[in-house]
Amino acid sequence: MSAEKTLSKEHTNQQTSSSLRNHSHSSSQVQRRRGWNYLFHALFLLATLVGIIVLAFLLFDIVKRGWSWLTPDFFENFASRLPSRSGFKAAIWGSLWMIGVTAPLTFILGVSTAIYLEEYSKKNWLSRFIQLNISNLAGVPSIVYGILGLTLFVRILGLGSSVLAGSLTMTLLVLPIVIVASRESIASVPSILKQASYAMGASRWQTIRHVVLPYALPGVLTGTILALSRAIGETAPLIMVGAVTFVAFTPENLFSPFTVMPIQIYQWIGLPRIEFQQLAAAGIIVLLIVLLTMNAIAILLRNKFQR
Amino acid sequence: MEQPRNMLQKKQSWRNTVEAFIPKFLLICALLSVFTTVGIILTLLFETAGFFEKVPFLDYITGTTWTALFSGDQQKFGVLPLISGTLLVTVGAAVVAVPIGLGSAIYLSEYAPERVRQIIKPILEILAGIPTIVYGFFAITLVTPFLRSFIPQLNFFNALSASIVVGIMIIPMIASLSEDAMRSVPKNIREAAYGLGATKLEVVLKIVVPAALSGIVSSFVLALSRAIGETMIVTIAAGSNPTFTFDPTSTIQTMTGFMVQAAMGDITYESLSYKAIYAVGMTLFLFTFVMNMLAQYISRRFKEEY
Amino acid sequence: MSQQAISVDNLNLYYGQNHALKNISMDIDKNSVTALIGPSGCGKSTFLRTLNRMNDMIPGVKIEGQINIHNQNIYSDQVHVEMLRKNVGMVFQAPNPFPKSIYDNVAYGPRIHGLRDKKKLDELIEKSLRGAAIWDEVKDRLKDKATGLSGGQQQRLCIARALAVEPEVLLMDEPTSALDPISTAKIEELIQELKTSYTIVIVTHNMQQAARISDKTAFFLSGDLIEYNKTEQLFSTPKHKQTEDYITGRFG
């Protein structure tokens, strides 16, 4: 019995070694290999679908909870102890103020840095050091930027927990995103266009101003919009800067205390009554609509001007 | 004879001034990122030094009780509970995100028809753009109740729920970075394998993944560094009870969770509790810094040359 | 006897360790077409780019010797490279119009050099487009994107763009290599017209083209100027074995 088994096993081995010639056997082996391929194809597809399913659940659940709270009152009321009197007005205006300061700052600083690195810097230790800094800053947790903001802007510069302190913190946080996107876009400007400009006697800055920047602008704007959408959704750095207080007014100037949408949502999440959870969901709907709109604009810009 | 034109003539002087001024201005902007790094390090170092004047360093890194916000004698500054909490969440996130992220990357890079890819890629981008506060809300309103219906002894605030959601959050990052790495494997290497009769799965596992391994591994490291620094999800879902444990069902606190809790409380700038924020911030910064450097090292050191 | 426009004296150019141009000396006649030929990598394009200092921007390039254009050493410290390039225009291998309107492409140079007057600009643009034999094709759509033109039209637009800064010398770096035969013929015809007002130096990989359009031809090989002579003579009775080998197609 066992001898027979061994024999047949040997036989199989022999068959495998000569499987190229043995058609029936090799085709069953191919069948098995293809079977594995199909199985894993399904598994990889399933893994990809996890993200989509989660997104669908998340959106559905949030809309279900928050939808009925999206009334005009929600946009006109300030925060309150009573859910029925609570609204998002201070948070929306705070976010607008913050973006109003952060947007021009990040754009100017980010594009300038990118132009310097792509068009002016020589390949020396300084430019390598700056690049190393930028790639490391991109990986620093946002809450650490919050600590920097708290120490530098709130305390040392004495700005307090103001719109300005929060905006400056956010600017530093999202700057690496704008720099990286702008550099990529500037590097993609064909060198023959720059050469044409130089060959007509244009100076370096004229070439940058009239050829490089117009060509790179869509990419730069896309990067800036994505960076700002990150800034709108960030919570932790502003908590550190001290934006979590009871704010029932819109900012009057750069030095006003303020709250932003994610922080108001965070405060509602922390309150015990179920209605506050629904308010949080309503706030999230508003926040997500703003972010999706910004993302859509960025994607449109990218597709429209993609060369 | 025609008079030759002069190439020596000076351009308008304001233009020369502009040309000379602009690179300087741009350099100052570029140096801002250096100042930011220096600012972060100095800020953390200064207050952390003050912290270690009062708390022995050894007690900090070996202590298993963290009660930084208590008053007086009850204050204990053993950071291990915060580190164990952070690691618990990070490891859990890795268990969720690594297989799913890599699977999606393989699907998108190797299997997906172009049309499907063009639908799924933007969805992943949207997922990557969802604020962490939204994920936090998702964790306590959906994931935690769902888990508690299976595991009745699960605490309402627990590491498990937080780590699953942090994992979901970093899936797009792993998927997109790994996909980039795999798509940069040249076509002719794949075709050589197909030419020998390999199935798609064999090409993926034996050719593409090994060739892109440095990029894939560095995407894991970057994503986990992101998980370590993640704040809102863990603050909302994992609780604020620093416990030295590796039991995912328990309520814990991460380093970031403590920083938020402390910043929201009423503490004075001179207090030891306040300085503890910086010590924990420094610890967090070092963790993520080392991981980011590691990721850069891996992707540079083991970069495949095609 | 024709006048000299450019005189090159003992020019050496190094890319780092690589000695790319070796002791080049040659005089280029005013209002004539001078062709530079030779196999790829022989230094003909590099030489062309020394004439408007386009090599300056490449890191690690070192240049020795003198180039005089209208008796001014263009590598002297006092020369403003922007003004030099205004006097020595250039047309590139592939048409490279800016992604702007046809009008703005031609107006680019004059605007850079400070011309703001709308009327003068309009006149200059018409003159330049006529000069490049493309006016009739584009006069009704000056506001259209230049990138919508055909390849041959784009290249003539690029010539018009170069003419608009009113140069005296026009450098052309294989200007027809990306074009079809009909467009090529148009450009060659145009070059013949342009030489009455401009000094033209053209790099070409096409010997027939050099024979057709140039008055003098220079043959480069591995950074050396092997032979420089009247075009008919260089092609009918080359003095050097290497020139003969090249023009009879034995290498390159």
Side-chain angles (χ1 to χ4, degrees):
Chain A
M1 186 73 183
S2 87
E4 238 180 68
K5 243 186 182 168
T6 323
L7 255 177
S8 81
K9 204 175 173 190
E10 268 172 15
H11 186 62
T12 324
N13 280 343
Q14 224 173 358
Q15 265 191 336
T16 313
S17 68
S18 63
S19 64
L20 265 178
R21 267 171 288 154
N22 187 331
H23 275 274
S24 68
H25 189 93
S26 87
S27 78
S28 85
Q29 200 198 8
V30 166
Q31 216 70 59
R32 198 172 62 237
R33 287 165 56 209
R34 289 170 87 179
W36 281 110
N37 184 41
Y38 288 133
L39 175 68
F40 272 84
H41 187 161
L43 286 177
F44 294 144
L45 176 61
L46 198 68
T48 312
L49 291 179
V50 168
I52 298 172
I53 293 166
V54 167
L55 185 64
F57 259 109
L58 189 153
L59 293 180
F60 176 76
D61 179 66
I62 284 167
V63 171
K64 194 184 73 183
R65 280 174 210 267
W67 190 248
S68 60
W69 287 83
L70 286 176
T71 58
D73 283 351
F74 183 72
F75 296 93
E76 280 158 21
N77 284 345
F78 292 108
S80 161
R81 283 173 212 293
L82 296 173
S84 58
R85 289 231 214 119
S86 292
F88 216 32
K89 187 172 180 181
I92 292 173
W93 279 97
S95 284
L96 284 176
W97 270 83
M98 189 192 74
I99 288 307
V101 178
T102 304
L105 280 178
T106 43
F107 183 80
I108 292 168
L109 292 170
V111 175
S112 300
T113 304
I115 295 174
Y116 179 80
L117 290 174
E118 287 298 323
E119 298 288 330
Y120 280 97
S121 76
K122 301 185 181 63
K123 284 204 159 83
N124 56 14
W125 66 271
L126 181 64
S127 66
R128 272 198 300 275
F129 183 61
I130 293 174
Q131 285 173 44
L132 188 72
N133 261 290
I134 292 165
S135 49
N136 277 322
L137 283 177
V140 172
S142 61
I143 194 163
V144 173
Y145 283 94
I147 293 189
L148 177 66
L150 169 66
T151 319
L152 183 62
F153 302 130
V154 177
R155 290 187 57 198
I156 296 178
L157 296 183
L159 299 175
S161 302
S162 62
V163 172
L164 189 57
S167 306
L168 292 176
T169 308
M170 279 302 176
T171 302
L172 296 183
L173 171 67
V174 299
L175 203 49
I177 305 175
V178 182
I179 294 173
V180 170
S182 302
R183 282 192 70 181
E184 232 170 71
S185 195
I186 288 171
S188 77
V189 178
S191 95
I192 54 165
L193 293 185
K194 291 195 263 178
Q195 289 191 31
S197 172
Y198 287 126
M200 273 180 281
S203 65
R204 198 176 276 262
W205 175 245
Q206 284 174 324
T207 302
I208 292 169
R209 168 78 187 73
H210 297 290
V211 176
V212 175
L213 284 184
Y215 194 99
L217 195 62
V220 170
L221 285 180
T222 306
T224 309
I225 293 172
L226 291 179
L228 292 180
S229 72
R230 167 95 192 270
I232 288 184
E234 272 290 347
T235 321
L238 294 181
I239 294 179
M240 299 309 290
V241 171
V244 186
T245 41
F246 185 77
V247 175
F249 46 84
T250 56
E252 276 168 17
N253 56 44
L254 290 178
F255 303 99
S256 306
F258 74 118
T259 185
V260 292
M261 291 191 275
I263 293 214
Q264 182 60 65
I265 293 166
Y266 176 58
Q267 285 175 309
W268 279 331
I269 290 177
L271 295 174
R273 289 171 64 176
I274 188 87
E275 289 91 341
F276 282 114
Q277 303 301 314
Q278 292 165 350
L279 277 168
I284 288 173
I285 294 173
V286 176
L287 179 63
L288 286 181
I289 288 174
V290 171
L291 294 181
L292 287 178
T293 312
M294 290 176 74
N295 273 291
I297 292 171
I299 289 170
L300 280 180
L301 257 177
R302 193 169 57 192
N303 292 345
K304 183 150 189 276
F305 292 96
Q306 210 157 45
R307 272 168 274 241
Chain B
M1 179 180 147
E2 194 187 324
Q3 192 62 32
R5 270 192 256 171
N6 195 356
M7 294 181 293
L8 311 180
Q9 79 189 56
K10 277 266 178 210
K11 294 192 133 194
Q12 303 104 307
S13 64
W14 66 267
R15 171 139 291 292
N16 290 333
T17 318
V18 169
E19 290 290 333
F21 166 77
I22 278 170
K24 295 193 179 81
F25 170 76
L26 297 177
L27 176 61
I28 291 171
C29 294
L31 286 177
L32 185 69
S33 64
V34 178
F35 297 144
T36 308
T37 311
V38 173
I40 287 174
I41 292 172
L42 282 185
T43 305
L44 291 174
L45 270 182
F46 185 74
E47 297 282 4
T48 304
F51 176 78
F52 284 122
E53 276 170 14
K54 301 270 173 54
V55 179
F57 181 69
L58 210 61
D59 290 2
Y60 176 73
I61 57 161
T62 57
T64 55
T65 311
W66 181 267
T67 52
L69 300 180
F70 287 16
S71 55
D73 290 345
Q74 290 178 301
Q75 260 184 335
K76 291 251 167 37
F77 295 100
V79 80
L80 285 180
L82 296 182
I83 290 182
S84 75
T86 304
L87 291 183
L88 195 54
V89 169
T90 307
V91 170
V95 170
V96 172
V98 164
I100 295 178
L102 185 59
S104 317
I106 291 174
Y107 179 76
L108 289 172
S109 157
E110 306 296 320
Y111 285 88
E114 191 53 33
R115 258 194 31 200
V116 176
R117 220 180 88 81
Q118 276 175 352
I119 297 167
I120 293 178
K121 283 285 275 183
I123 295 179
L124 284 181
E125 276 176 48
I126 291 174
L127 214 52
I130 288 183
T132 53
I133 182 87
V134 179
Y135 280 116
F137 183 78
F138 177 67
I140 53 158
T141 56
L142 226 60
V143 177
T144 300
F146 179 72
L147 291 174
R148 294 227 291 182
S149 66
F150 290 99
I151 317 168
Q153 76 274 23
L154 193 66
N155 286 297
F156 184 73
F157 296 111
N158 64 82
L160 184 62
S161 172
S163 63
I164 289 172
V165 177
V166 171
I168 291 171
M169 181 199 80
I170 60 175
I171 286 172
M173 195 173 174
I174 293 180
S176 101
L177 291 176
S178 295
E179 194 215 344
D180 287 347
M182 283 190 260
R183 280 173 83 85
S184 67
V185 175
K187 229 177 161 185
N188 56 13
I189 297 184
R190 290 188 179 87
E191 277 163 358
Y194 284 125
L196 296 171
T199 63
K200 197 160 241 182
L201 180 68
E202 287 159 353
V203 172
V204 168
L205 296 183
K206 289 176 189 152
I207 309 288
V208 179
V209 170
L213 199 62
S214 66
I216 293 172
V217 173
S218 94
S219 84
F220 294 165
V221 178
L222 274 182
L224 292 187
S225 156
R226 180 79 192 280
I228 289 181
E230 164 40 41
T231 307
M232 295 322 292
I233 299 172
V234 292
T235 302
I236 293 170
S240 46
N241 180 18
T243 319
F244 186 54
T245 176
F246 289 97
D247 170 15
T249 62
S250 54
T251 303
I252 51 138
Q253 186 167 49
T254 63
M255 292 188 271
T256 52
F258 163 73
M259 288 158 78
V260 166
Q261 191 194 7
M264 287 176 57
D266 270 328
I267 49 175
T268 55
Y269 289 154
E270 299 311 316
S271 68
L272 203 50
S273 309
Y274 177 76
K275 291 189 165 74
I277 299 178
Y278 290 78
V280 173
M282 189 76 184
T283 314
L284 174 68
F285 178 76
L286 287 177
F287 265 90
T288 54
F289 180 76
V290 167
M291 291 188 74
N292 292 336
M293 294 301 267
L294 184 68
Q296 281 182 32
Y297 174 77
I298 291 170
S299 70
R300 242 201 315 255
R301 174 71 179 71
F302 300 102
K303 199 167 190 83
E304 302 289 330
E305 300 290 347
Y306 302 119
Chain C
M1 202 52 211
S2 48
Q3 244 180 301
Q4 269 174 31
I6 304 170
S7 126
V8 180
D9 194 18
N10 267 318
L11 179 76
N12 280 288
L13 183 144
Y14 306 84
Y15 287 125
Q17 296 297 308
N18 180 14
H19 195 173
L21 290 175
K22 300 166 192 163
N23 274 320
I24 311 289
S25 294
M26 66 189 282
D27 292 337
I28 292 170
D29 295 336
K30 196 165 162 41
N31 293 356
S32 72
V33 177
T34 305
L36 312 177
I37 62 169
S40 322
C42 67
K44 56 188 194 296
S45 279
T46 305
F47 174 70
L48 188 79
R49 282 156 182 263
T50 59
L51 300 178
N52 65 347
R53 293 183 53 177
M54 285 294 275
N55 289 322
D56 287 18
M57 283 176 287
I58 303 167
V61 165
K62 203 175 90 200
I63 294 164
E64 292 164 0
Q66 270 205 3
I67 297 178
N68 289 309
I69 297 184
H70 297 305
N71 299 321
Q72 284 171 352
N73 178 11
I74 62 169
Y75 281 93
S76 121
D77 291 340
Q78 288 147 319
V79 163
H80 287 260
V81 70
E82 287 86 8
M83 296 313 292
L84 164 70
R85 290 181 187 147
K86 185 176 182 303
N87 276 326
V88 183
M90 188 167 192
V91 176
F92 295 82
Q93 195 165 356
N96 55 353
F98 300 125
K100 301 170 188 273
S101 72
I102 294 169
Y103 185 96
D104 287 342
N105 260 277
V106 186
Y108 183 84
R111 280 179 180 152
I112 287 292
H113 293 287
L115 182 61
R116 287 278 173 273
D117 186 327
K118 177 83 171 87
K119 199 160 154 274
K120 279 192 187 149
L121 206 52
D122 286 349
E123 283 168 15
L124 183 58
I125 281 161
E126 180 172 344
K127 187 177 146 211
S128 308
L129 287 168
R130 281 189 193 281
I134 192 179
W135 171 252
D136 291 331
E137 290 161 67
V138 299
K139 64 182 177 202
D140 299 325
R141 43 173 174 151
L142 291 174
K143 295 290 165 214
D144 289 7
K145 276 249 177 180
T147 38
L149 297 172
S150 75
Q153 288 174 325
Q154 287 189 9
Q155 193 62 307
R156 277 179 287 143
L157 177 70
C158 291
I159 294 175
R161 187 174 65 181
L163 298 182
V165 291
E166 303 181 306
E168 291 165 294
V169 179
L170 206 52
L171 309 177
M172 296 184 157
D173 190 359
E174 303 193 21
T176 61
S177 64
L179 303 181
D180 61 84
I182 295 171
S183 307
T184 301
K186 275 193 185 152
I187 302 259
E188 288 183 5
E189 206 179 301
L190 173 63
I191 290 172
Q192 292 304 315
E193 285 167 28
L194 289 173
K195 82 170 182 186
T196 57
S197 345
Y198 305 91
T199 302
I200 295 173
V201 187
I202 177 169
V203 166
T204 176
H205 62 279
N206 179 335
M207 280 176 285
Q208 284 75 31
Q209 185 171 61
R212 277 196 301 269
I213 62 172
S214 68
D215 301 299
K216 280 191 171 181
T217 298
F219 171 59
F220 284 78
L221 185 65
S222 320
D224 286 305
L225 173 60
I226 303 291
E227 187 163 349
Y228 177 43
N229 210 335
K230 291 223 165 69
T231 301
E232 305 113 56
Q233 279 167 27
L234 187 127
F235 280 99
S236 58
T237 52
K239 293 201 181 70
H240 289 79
K241 178 81 171 61
Q242 288 147 314
T243 316
E244 191 182 341
D245 286 349
Y246 182 69
I247 61 179
T248 52
R250 250 167 264 170
F251 70 85

